[in-house]
Amino acid sequence: EADIYQTPRYLVIGTGKKITLECSQTMGHDKMYWYQQDPGMELHLIHYSYGVNSTEKGDLSSESTVSRIRTEHFPLTLESARPSHTSQYLCASSEAGTVRGETQYFGPGTRLLVL
Amino acid sequence: GNSVTQMEGPVTLSEEAFLTINCTYTATGYPSLFWYVQYPGEGLQLLLKATKADDKGSNKGFEATYRKETTSFHLEKGSVQVSDSAVYFCALERDTGFQKLVFGTGTRLLVSP
């Protein structure tokens, strides 16, 4: 059973507000990821991290930012939320190394609605 | 480039029916291939995987075989249950150096009693 947590699970917020989506894992994984899942279900990688103090942008351009100050914690921040940010955000993690076929472990997701 | 194409849903079946969800891929080299499943209200979880040609991944009665010649990784189950209702994602591992996954668009499976 994966131990990766996301809070809040649901968030409804007004335009212009600053929000932070939390993601924590207790597996000691070095690699962490943020995906955006649109209503059509497709997943897009928006951020990833190799480890502490390492963050990279993913395939889909996003106005969000991330930080990785502790191994277990990978929060995502939107400085000014807009309706176009309405989506589901999924956090995931995997072990370090270059083994083929590594499993990614996903959190339950945060459903964000920006009014 | 790298891409994954899977059949559109929803796939609607009666309990105990045979399931096939098609997945084909385009990639350089020989990527690892995965099936992830997303149950309602949850995140994704790994269902099965295969890391080289002709490998068969299996779990919970589901199977998929890595076919290099047809660049396919079709998901099958002999007898579906209502509890199998979920969204199924085919994915490939694009970059072994950092394990970036490329996902298909997902196929929703609905199983009725």
Side-chain angles (χ1 to χ4, degrees), chain A residues 9 37 50 100-102 104, chain B residues 30 36 41 49 51 98-99:
Chain A
R9 292 292 310 274
Q37 185 173 27
Y50 288 93
R100 284 173 61 84
E102 278 181 357
Q104 286 191 15
Chain B
Y30 303 106
Y36 280 83
K49 64 183 178 184
T51 59
F98 190 91
Q99 210 234 358

Side-chain angles (χ1 to χ4, degrees), chain A residues 85-97:
Chain A
H85 297 138
T86 294
S87 190
Q88 171 152 260
Y89 293 85
L90 292 171
C91 181
S93 71
S94 65
E95 293 185 27

Side-chain angles (χ1 to χ4, degrees), chain B residues 57-74:
Chain B
S58 61
N59 186 27
K60 299 181 182 179
F62 291 89
E63 291 183 342
T65 301
Y66 190 138
R67 301 286 188 201
K68 183 179 66 175
E69 61 278 8
T70 54
T71 62
S72 65
F73 193 54
H74 304 322

Side-chain angles (χ1 to χ4, degrees), chain A residues 9-10 31-33 35 37 39-43 45 48-50 57 59 88 90 94 97-109 111, chain B residues 30-34 36 38 41-46 49-52 66 87 89 93-94 96-108:
Chain A
R9 292 292 310 274
Y10 304 92
K31 298 177 187 174
M32 295 190 74
Y33 317 74
Y35 292 89
Q37 185 173 27
M41 302 183 297
E42 196 164 355
L43 286 99
L45 180 68
Y48 60 98
S49 168
Y50 288 93
K57 289 192 177 295
D59 304 319
Q88 171 152 260
L90 292 171
S94 65
T98 57
V99 175
R100 284 173 61 84
E102 278 181 357
T103 299
Q104 286 191 15
Y105 296 90
F106 284 79
R111 285 195 181 275
Chain B
Y30 303 106
S32 295
L33 301 173
F34 306 79
Y36 280 83
Q38 185 175 29
E42 298 183 12
L44 280 71
Q45 56 185 269
L46 179 69
K49 64 183 178 184
T51 59
K52 60 184 188 295
Y66 190 138
V87 180
F89 292 89
E93 182 182 70
R94 178 179 48 179
T96 305
F98 190 91
Q99 210 234 358
K100 291 180 192 174
L101 293 178
V102 176
F103 285 93
T105 53
T107 302
R108 186 178 301 277

Side-chain angles (χ1 to χ4, degrees), chain A residues 54-66:
Chain A
S54 154
T55 61
E56 302 285 344
K57 289 192 177 295
D59 304 319
L60 181 68
S61 176
S62 174
E63 293 166 347
S64 59
T65 59
V66 293

